[in-house]
């Protein structure tokens, strides 16, 4: 039968065929991985990136940065923004504390005051190379003049320190995750500040995780939670209630936190609230990332492609090779393990492995391939059902035919037996040849009648037509009848039947069915035992059961056949090659009739060392019908 698709399991297939199936699945997985790789998943990947940052437990800073905020309380105390004179006073005190750098990250030209105070403050800023004024602007090469302020601040050259929100490119969710290192060859302020402690970052090639984007060199910010950097309010610096020595050898960034302009804040991986983080805390995160040179390192495209392909191959193999429930459990476990490893690598080493595409691959495999597999399996189940239905009909026809033929054969066999009995009882003397012929006819008709009886009983079992006719009988009486019936057959082979029957109370049973069970066991023992041996038949009472055993010294049963000996039509390989006839139904019927009595039958045997069949019957029967 032609397979419906390459996904169909190949029943009883050879290894090369199985390898072809695996190869087809691998190719399909790679095709699916290639298609998924073309989908823009920046938004989902950025969300997973943010979740990794938020869930990071151990976070440390370099300890080199201090923040100073102009807050609403400052406005209240100074009756407005601190003027140029106030700023000059604070700057004098800060310079005296010998910091590495001082950064103004707010529009200093908006400060009030006399022209003389403004000029003095501007002169103080421009005369110290470690004092910087940040601007969010990034002018084109050749337009650097736009970085200078109007008079009287025209001597101050501002340094670009923009925020890079994902508004047009990447995730497009306005969250700041990246920082500019350089633009058209111009170095950004965070690089200049970080180089005061880590000179290697002056060369962008030495910055971990750097990448080129248009005319810029960028890297990702190793964000710390809001509030991770120590800060003071401008008021406390003005009234002298701070320990100025804390600013020694530090980078001091001065900015505003007034909740008046969205430009003073950024959205972060930690929060999408418009005032989630101030600009100067963003500058602190950028600078601190470069001081520690700890930017997250995004894995190359080929690494992400390998992970995507492996997850796709594994997902398809799991879904198409296992049951739907088990496949789902293992697939979810695989994706969870992949996620856990990705998180751990990010937390421990800062390695950013793309997660969105592999997780999407796992989802798509389950979403598309499980329904397909269920359709295939349903169709296969329907085919099995149709085949089983046909086999059931054939089995029913066979059983009916066997029963009908057995009934029809019984009548001529009875006639043959009757005629042989007439001949044997007649006074006419038969010649030895005639006598032997009549004996052969009688023996063959007896064998045939036994076979027909077995077939009829099998037919009753198949049609569930066997009924128990319970009577109270002594099992020893039935055993003695069976032994007497088979004494002649035993004498022919010079076999001695030894009986050891304990006195027993009568039990309820169907005498005819139990007679068939015991007759089968004794007859088999005689048939399969060699000449000049013994057969032991015992009965005893154990607890609430009657135990009957028939032991012989025959060829035994191989160990690998013990589990099959009571199956219908089964015959041991030790007797198939002999002249001993049998239908393979005797032990099957014995087991069935014994279990009808709520009993059990089993065998103990070793190849070449004889067999012992045991029948156990309960002292009391719980039912009368089967």
């Amino acid at each position: 039968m032609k397979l419906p698709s390459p996904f169909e399991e190949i029943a009883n297939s050879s290894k090369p065929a199985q390898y072809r199936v695996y190869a087809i699945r691998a190719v399909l997985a790679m095709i699916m991985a290639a298609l998924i790789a073309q989908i823009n998943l920046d938004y989902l990947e950025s969300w997973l990136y943010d979740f990794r940052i938020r869930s990071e437990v151990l976070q440390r800073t370099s300890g080199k940065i201090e923040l100073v905020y102009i807050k609403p309380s400052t406005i209240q105390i100074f009756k407005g923004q601190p003027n140029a004179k106030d700023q000059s006073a604070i700057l004098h005190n800060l310079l005296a504390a010998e910091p590495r750098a001082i950064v103004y990250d707010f529009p200093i030209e908006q400060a009030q005051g006399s022209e003389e105070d403004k000029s003095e403050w501007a002169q103080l800023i421009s005369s110290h190379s470690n004092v910087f004024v940040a601007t969010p602007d990034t002018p084109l090469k050749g337009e650097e003049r736009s970085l200078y302020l109007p008079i009287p601040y025209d001597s101050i050259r501002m340094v670009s320190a923009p925020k890079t929100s994902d508004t047009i490119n990447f995730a497009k969710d306005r969250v700041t995750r990246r920082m500019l290192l350089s633009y058209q060859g111009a170095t950004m302020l965070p690089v200049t500040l970080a180089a005061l402690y880590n000179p290697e970052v002056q060369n962008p090639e030495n910055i971990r995780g750097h990448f080129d984007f248009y005319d810029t060199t960028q890297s990702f910010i190793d964000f710390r939670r809001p509030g991770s950097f120590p800060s003071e309010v401008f008021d406390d610096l003005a009234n002298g209630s701070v320990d100025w020595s804390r600013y020694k050898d530090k980078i001091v960034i001065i900015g505003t936190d007034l909740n008046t302009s969205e430009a003073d804040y950024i959205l972060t991986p930690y929060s999408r609230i418009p005032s989630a983080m101030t600009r100067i805390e963003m500058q602190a995160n950028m600078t601190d990332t470069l001081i520690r040179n700890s930017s997250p390192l995004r894995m190359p495209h080929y690494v992400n492609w390998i992970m995507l392909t492996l997850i796709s191959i594994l997902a398809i193999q799991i879904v198409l090779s296992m049951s739907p429930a088990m496949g789902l459990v293992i697939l979810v476990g695989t994706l969870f393990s992949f996620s856990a490893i990705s998180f751990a690598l990010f937390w421990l080493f800062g390695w950013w492995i793309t997660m969105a595409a592999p997780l999407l691959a796992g989802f798509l495999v389950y979403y598309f391939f499980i329904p397909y597999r269920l359709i295939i399996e349903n169709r296969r189940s329907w085919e099995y059902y149709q085949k089983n239905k046909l086999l059931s009909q054939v089995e029913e026809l066979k059983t009916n035919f066997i029963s009908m033929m057995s009934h029809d054969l019984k009548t001529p066999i009875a006639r043959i037996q009757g005629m042989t009995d007439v001949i044997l009882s007649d006074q006419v003397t038969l010649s030895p040849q005639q006598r032997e012929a009549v004996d052969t006819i009688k023996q063959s008709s007896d064998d045939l009648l036994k076979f027909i009886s077995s077939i009829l009983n099998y037919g009753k079992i198949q049609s569930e037509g066997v009924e128990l006719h319970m009577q109270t009988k002594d099992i020893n009486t039935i055993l003695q009848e069976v032994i007497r019936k088979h004494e002649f057959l035993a004498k022919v082979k010079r076999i001695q039947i030894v009986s050891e029957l304990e006195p027993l109370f009568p039990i309820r049973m169907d005498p005819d069915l139990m007679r068939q069970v015991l007759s089968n066991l004794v007859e088999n023992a005689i048939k399969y035992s060699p000449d000049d041996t013994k057969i032991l038949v015992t009965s005893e009472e154990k607890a609430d059961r009657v135990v009957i055993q028939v032991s012989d010294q025959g060829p035994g049963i191989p160990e690998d056949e013990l589990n099959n000996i009571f199956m219908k039509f089964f015959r041991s390989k030790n007797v198939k090659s002999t002249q001993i006839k049998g239908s393979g139904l005797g032990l099957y019927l014995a087991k069935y009739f014994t279990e009808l009595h709520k009993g059990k039958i089993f065998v103990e045997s070793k190849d070449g060392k004889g067999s012992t069949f045991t029948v156990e019957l309960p002292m009391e029967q719980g039912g009368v019908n089967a």
Side-chain angles (χ1 to χ4, degrees):
M1 182 178 68
K2 185 178 179 181
L3 296 180
S5 75
F7 306 120
E8 188 81 42
E9 290 294 331
I10 301 180
N12 301 321
S13 61
S14 61
K15 285 188 176 180
Q18 290 178 337
Y19 294 152
R20 284 195 295 273
V21 172
Y22 296 149
I24 291 171
R25 291 176 180 175
V27 171
L28 286 172
M30 287 188 285
I31 292 174
M32 187 177 73
L35 294 175
I36 292 175
Q38 306 306 313
I39 303 174
N40 188 340
L41 299 173
D42 285 343
Y43 181 82
L44 180 58
E45 184 60 40
S46 297
W47 186 89
L48 292 168
Y49 171 79
D50 295 348
F51 187 64
R52 275 173 274 191
I53 289 178
R54 289 195 300 271
S55 58
E56 193 172 1
V57 178
L58 299 177
Q59 292 188 339
R60 296 185 179 88
T61 65
S62 64
K64 304 297 184 182
I65 301 174
E66 293 273 350
L67 305 180
V68 176
Y69 282 110
I70 297 174
K71 293 195 171 187
S73 62
T74 309
I75 303 300
Q76 294 176 2
I77 292 174
F78 287 90
K79 309 300 180 182
Q81 287 270 12
N83 58 35
K85 185 175 183 179
D86 297 326
Q87 295 285 6
S88 294
I90 295 299
L91 182 55
H92 274 293
N93 291 332
L94 284 173
L95 290 171
E98 299 180 353
R100 284 284 182 102
I102 299 172
V103 179
Y104 287 103
D105 192 4
F106 64 91
I108 64 172
E109 68 275 13
Q110 296 179 5
Q112 301 298 314
S114 64
E115 291 299 317
E116 182 179 352
D117 292 338
K118 292 180 181 179
S119 297
E120 182 181 346
W121 184 30
Q123 182 61 33
L124 186 61
I125 293 173
S126 59
S127 62
H128 289 82
S129 59
N130 64 337
V131 180
F132 302 89
V133 176
T135 177
D137 299 327
T138 51
L140 297 172
K141 184 180 290 187
E143 296 181 351
E144 292 84 354
R145 186 61 196 170
S146 62
L147 292 176
Y148 287 89
L149 295 170
I151 298 173
Y153 301 106
D154 55 333
S155 61
I156 300 173
R157 185 178 184 274
M158 295 187 293
V159 184
S160 294
K163 68 176 181 179
T164 53
S165 302
D166 290 348
T167 53
I168 301 176
N169 300 299
F170 301 100
K172 302 178 183 178
D173 56 3
R174 299 173 58 224
V175 174
T176 296
R177 301 181 181 90
R178 302 166 288 114
M179 59 178 165
L180 259 62
L181 305 175
S182 65
Y183 175 60
Q184 292 189 340
T187 301
M188 300 294 106
L189 178 60
V191 177
T192 302
L193 296 176
L196 299 174
Y197 297 95
N198 186 1
E200 289 186 355
V201 300
Q202 287 181 315
N203 182 359
E205 296 296 322
N206 296 330
I207 297 176
R208 172 187 163 104
H210 73 277
F211 62 93
D212 294 330
F213 186 69
Y214 292 110
D215 288 337
T216 68
T217 301
Q218 303 184 23
S219 68
F220 285 90
I221 305 170
D222 187 13
F223 267 107
R224 295 297 181 252
R225 292 185 180 86
S228 296
F229 297 94
S231 63
E232 284 290 346
V233 184
F234 193 88
D235 321 355
D236 296 330
L237 272 67
N239 61 30
S241 61
V242 297
D243 180 8
W244 294 97
S245 62
R246 65 185 284 184
Y247 300 114
K248 182 177 176 60
D249 203 36
K250 301 289 182 65
I251 296 174
V252 182
I253 305 177
I254 304 172
T256 59
D257 184 12
L258 299 173
N259 285 313
T260 57
S261 174
E262 189 175 332
D264 292 337
Y265 301 92
I266 63 167
L267 306 184
T268 72
Y270 292 100
S271 175
R272 302 296 195 270
I273 299 174
S275 59
M277 182 177 286
T278 61
R279 268 185 55 84
I280 66 170
E281 194 166 9
M282 176 196 71
Q283 301 293 357
N285 273 285
M286 293 178 177
T287 304
D288 191 70
T289 297
L290 293 172
I291 291 174
R292 293 179 290 109
N293 201 7
S294 62
S295 293
L297 181 60
R298 191 163 192 174
M299 292 293 99
H301 288 298
Y302 72 87
V303 174
N304 295 325
W305 165 252
I306 290 173
M307 295 302 300
L308 172 59
T309 304
L310 289 177
I311 291 291
S312 301
I313 293 174
L314 185 61
I316 287 182
Q317 187 62 33
I318 289 172
V319 168
L320 295 181
S321 300
M322 300 181 178
S323 65
M326 181 59 68
L328 176 60
V329 170
I330 296 181
L331 180 60
V332 170
T334 301
L335 296 179
F336 179 81
S337 300
F338 166 72
S339 301
I341 293 172
S342 299
F343 272 71
L345 292 176
F346 185 85
W347 294 337
L348 296 175
F349 308 107
W351 295 349
W352 177 4
I353 297 177
T354 297
M355 290 177 59
L359 293 178
L360 179 63
F363 170 78
L364 291 179
V365 165
Y366 187 80
Y367 185 80
F368 288 108
F369 285 88
I370 279 290
Y372 173 80
R373 180 180 172 183
L374 290 175
I375 292 171
I376 295 299
E377 291 186 350
N378 285 337
R379 187 175 71 179
R380 189 184 303 166
S381 299
W382 182 83
E383 291 174 353
Y384 289 157
Y385 169 76
Q386 294 298 323
K387 290 178 181 178
N388 184 63
K389 184 178 178 181
L390 178 60
L391 289 175
S392 299
Q393 292 173 347
V394 171
E395 183 71 17
E396 184 178 355
L397 290 173
K398 181 188 74 174
T399 303
N400 294 337
F401 173 77
I402 290 174
S403 298
M404 180 182 68
M405 292 300 297
S406 299
H407 279 291
D408 290 345
L409 286 173
K410 223 174 178 186
T411 300
I413 292 299
R415 290 175 183 169
I416 293 171
Q417 287 180 319
M419 295 305 294
T420 54
D421 289 340
V422 169
I423 295 172
L424 292 173
S425 62
D426 198 352
Q427 299 299 324
V428 178
T429 303
L430 301 175
S431 66
Q433 292 83 1
Q434 291 173 328
R435 182 78 182 189
E436 182 180 357
V438 173
D439 287 340
T440 300
I441 292 172
K442 180 174 176 58
Q443 183 179 356
S444 297
S445 61
D446 289 341
D447 291 340
L448 184 57
L449 185 60
K450 289 178 184 178
F451 177 74
I452 291 172
S453 297
S454 297
I455 292 295
L456 286 173
N457 286 327
Y458 171 70
K460 289 181 180 179
I461 292 173
Q462 293 300 103
S463 61
E464 299 182 355
V466 179
E467 293 185 358
L468 288 176
H469 300 285
M470 306 297 283
Q471 300 178 29
T472 301
K473 288 283 186 180
D474 184 355
I475 194 70
N476 285 341
T477 302
I478 297 177
L479 274 171
Q480 290 168 350
E481 293 176 6
V482 170
I483 292 172
R484 282 196 301 270
K485 180 181 177 182
H486 292 85
E487 280 181 344
F488 177 77
L489 181 60
K491 287 180 181 179
V492 172
K493 299 181 68 175
R494 299 183 301 281
I495 293 175
Q496 181 182 0
I497 302 178
V498 180
S499 59
E500 297 179 359
L501 309 180
E502 290 186 0
L504 299 172
F505 288 105
I507 62 174
R508 286 183 59 76
M509 70 179 99
D510 185 319
D512 291 335
L513 295 185
M514 289 312 304
R515 193 174 287 108
Q516 289 188 53
V517 172
L518 300 174
S519 293
N520 182 273
L521 297 182
V522 173
E523 184 178 344
N524 281 353
I526 296 171
K527 284 198 301 184
Y528 298 125
S529 293
D531 296 352
D532 300 308
T533 56
K534 292 183 179 181
I535 295 173
L536 177 62
V537 181
T538 66
S539 67
E540 61 178 330
E541 182 181 334
K542 287 185 179 180
D544 59 346
R545 305 182 78 81
V546 171
V547 180
I548 303 104
Q549 288 188 324
V550 178
S551 302
D552 62 52
Q553 296 174 312
I557 303 169
E559 185 177 354
D560 60 340
E561 295 182 352
L562 288 176
N563 292 332
N564 302 325
I565 198 68
F566 294 103
M567 292 177 59
K568 56 187 175 184
F569 304 116
F570 179 82
R571 298 195 74 202
S572 173
K573 60 187 177 183
N574 286 352
V575 299
K576 281 183 178 179
S577 58
T578 67
Q579 298 295 323
I580 301 173
K581 299 177 181 179
S583 63
L585 284 174
L587 290 178
Y588 169 74
L589 294 173
K591 181 175 186 295
Y592 185 83
F593 293 156
T594 302
E595 290 178 349
L596 276 182
H597 286 78
K598 311 299 181 184
K600 60 181 180 178
I601 183 171
F602 54 89
V603 61
E604 298 173 286
S605 180
K606 289 188 178 179
D607 197 10
K609 296 185 179 180
S611 305
T612 298
F613 284 84
T614 301
V615 176
E616 294 185 358
L617 297 173
M619 298 290 290
E620 295 183 2
Q621 293 293 323
V624 295
N625 293 314

